[in-house]
């Protein structure tokens, strides 16, 4: 069956390199999410929990405004609130009032959260080495990180995130 002009136009649109790049980004994210999730099961840490704990551990004072954490985790504020509720019930974080904004809340890493994140860090890093470090060298990882940061920042700038 020969392609009609409409079919050819539609196929060209889906063959666009931007569509392929976006698709590869989503597929890679999903594969990494699933692979790292299996390894974290022994710690009872779902991947989003570890993401929150690592983000807080990397923040000044191991604390971050809930709105900023929601943005970084690409979640709605209500979705993050529900996630923090579960992590807080496990004793890994707690919430504090923001000292410079009485309406704001901070998510704060607890000693238990710091301990479990540290325990999970070594096997998580081993997974990342196997999953990312084997196919890419150090320069390629740095380049990938820079490219992803540039796209993320651009999206935040134009979408007001």
């Amino acid at each position: 069956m020969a392609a009609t002009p409409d079919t050819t136009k539609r196929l060209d649109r889906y063959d666009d390199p931007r569509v392929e790049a976006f698709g590869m980004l989503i597929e890679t994210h999903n594969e990494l999410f699933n692979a790292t999730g299996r390894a974290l099961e022994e710690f009872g840490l779902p991947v989003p929990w570890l993401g929150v704990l690592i983000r807080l551990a990397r923040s000044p004072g191991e604390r971050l405004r809930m709105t900023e954490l929601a943005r970084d985790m690409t979640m709605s504020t209500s979705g993050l609130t529900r996630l923090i509720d579960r992590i807080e019930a496990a004793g890994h974080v707690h919430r504090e009032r923001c000292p410079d904004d009485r309406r704001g809340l901070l998510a704060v890493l607890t000693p238990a959260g710091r301990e479990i994140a540290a325990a999970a860090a070594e096997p998580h890093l081993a997974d990342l080495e196997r999953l990312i470090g084997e196919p890419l060298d150090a320069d390629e990882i740095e380049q990938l990180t820079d490219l992803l940061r540039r796209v993320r920042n651009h999206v935040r700038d134009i979408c007001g995130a």
Side-chain angles (χ1 to χ4, degrees):
M1 173 191 226
T4 65
D6 283 345
T7 305
T8 302
K9 186 177 182 180
R10 190 173 68 240
L11 291 175
D12 290 346
R13 186 174 31 225
Y14 297 135
D15 288 339
D16 186 299
R18 294 165 295 189
V19 171
E20 184 175 7
F22 181 74
M24 290 305 302
L25 183 62
I26 297 300
E27 290 176 29
T28 302
H29 168 269
N30 292 341
E31 294 292 340
L32 287 169
F33 192 95
N34 291 335
T36 55
R38 286 189 293 274
L40 292 171
E41 286 174 358
E42 73 177 272
F43 296 95
L45 282 178
V47 175
W49 286 34
L50 183 61
V52 166
L53 298 179
I54 288 173
R55 183 65 184 92
L56 291 174
R58 293 175 53 129
S59 298
E62 297 180 329
R63 64 195 62 232
L64 201 57
R65 288 182 66 99
M66 292 282 286
T67 53
E68 187 176 346
L69 186 56
R71 183 199 70 202
D72 291 349
M73 299 301 296
T74 62
M75 300 180 80
S76 66
T77 52
S78 62
L80 179 72
T81 295
R82 289 189 299 275
L83 178 62
I84 293 294
D85 286 345
R86 293 189 299 276
I87 301 172
E88 188 172 35
H92 303 314
V93 299
H94 72 270
R95 284 175 259 218
E96 292 179 359
R97 289 268 172 227
C98 186
D100 51 339
D101 178 3
R102 292 185 326 186
R103 296 171 298 163
L105 286 174
L106 301 170
V108 181
L109 192 64
T110 65
R114 187 179 314 109
E115 186 177 313
I116 196 161
E122 189 171 328
H124 183 59
L125 284 172
D127 269 349
L128 294 179
E129 174 57 30
R130 181 174 56 87
L131 299 168
I132 298 172
E134 286 179 10
L136 302 176
D137 65 30
D139 289 339
E140 291 169 323
I141 292 171
E142 184 176 342
Q143 182 181 19
L144 176 63
T145 302
D146 289 344
L147 291 170
L148 291 170
R149 182 176 292 113
R150 191 164 69 193
V151 171
R152 182 207 61 197
N153 291 346
H154 176 71
V155 172
R156 284 181 178 173
D157 287 347
I158 66 170
C159 295

